[in-house]
Amino acid sequence: MELNVGSTLPASSASAPIRVLIAEDHFITRVGIETIVGGQPDMVVIAGAINGNQALSLYRTHRPDVTLMDMYMPSDGFSAIAAIRKEFQDARIIALSTFAADEDIRRALDAGARTYLTKDVLHDELIAAIRAVHAGKKHFFAPVEAALAAQLPHPEVSKRELEVLHLIANGLSNKLIAYQLGIAEYTINNHVKRILKKMGASDRTGAVTHALQRGIIRL
């Protein structure tokens, strides 16, 4: 879905506008961002995507100067950033999310995002970030800087442990988790023990709370 929503520079301007691709699956949020960005004299929105796969396809077609990428949308933004950066090493991407959890920030930056913004960012901060990233700089605002400064060591949680964590978060007992995953209950008990240790928690509720706060899992 391409969007014909961009503003153009005045004819007297000597420099080309910053061409922006917006990848955001929530319509109202996407339109809001388009309005803010398209209202700048030095920016133009060239296309909009509603999932990560479409973002990659539109990037290949348009080669935008800056991409705004929502992290939690179908065929997620983390994977889309990594795929784009694999093909286009100089891609300048800003990660967008409702959350400022340190694991989300780490994953986005590891995937290749130049910076990370929460969706409650002020309009002028969003515009400043786009201009900074377009200029080849990294640009972080206070909430993200605080999360990065307080970042704890990344617990190496296995794929199976993540599955168990999600099921614990959904209220399933060890017995029901074992039934759903088709493995022995004592194996689940061992997974839970390892999860508690890695989350630094004394019980299942504490482990889930810690994992949610850090962005290790999402409900």
Side-chain angles (χ1 to χ4, degrees), residues 20-108:
V20 180
L21 165 64
I22 300 171
E24 165 62 60
D25 63 322
H26 290 99
F27 176 76
I28 293 176
T29 302
R30 190 173 67 252
V31 170
I33 296 172
E34 290 164 3
T35 301
I36 295 167
V37 174
Q40 304 306 308
D42 60 340
M43 297 180 190
V44 59
V45 178
I46 56 168
I50 59 173
N51 59 56
N53 290 335
Q54 190 177 49
L56 174 59
S57 177
L58 288 173
Y59 192 98
R60 288 169 175 157
T61 300
H62 295 282
R63 306 290 179 87
D65 299 314
V66 176
T67 299
L68 301 176
M69 184 79 72
D70 179 29
M71 294 296 90
Y72 287 96
M73 59 181 175
S75 54
D76 68 272
F78 299 104
S79 300
I81 291 173
I84 290 171
R85 286 297 305 275
K86 184 176 180 180
E87 287 190 38
F88 308 96
Q89 295 184 3
D90 60 346
R92 296 177 179 182
I93 304 172
I94 296 173
L96 291 176
S97 179
T98 304
F99 312 102
D102 68 314
E103 281 299 298
D104 285 347
I105 298 169
R106 181 194 64 79
R107 287 179 63 200

Side-chain angles (χ1 to χ4, degrees), residues 108-121:
L109 297 181
D110 285 352
R114 292 292 183 95
T115 194
Y116 186 104
L117 298 178
T118 53
K119 292 182 183 179
D120 59 356
V121 69

Side-chain angles (χ1 to χ4, degrees), residues 5 20 22 49 69 77 84 96 101 111 119-120 128 132 140 164 177 191 195 199 201 212:
V5 295
V20 180
I22 300 171
M69 184 79 72
I84 290 171
L96 291 176
K119 292 182 183 179
D120 59 356
F140 298 103
V164 173
I177 293 172
H191 282 313
I195 289 168
M199 296 297 108
L212 289 170

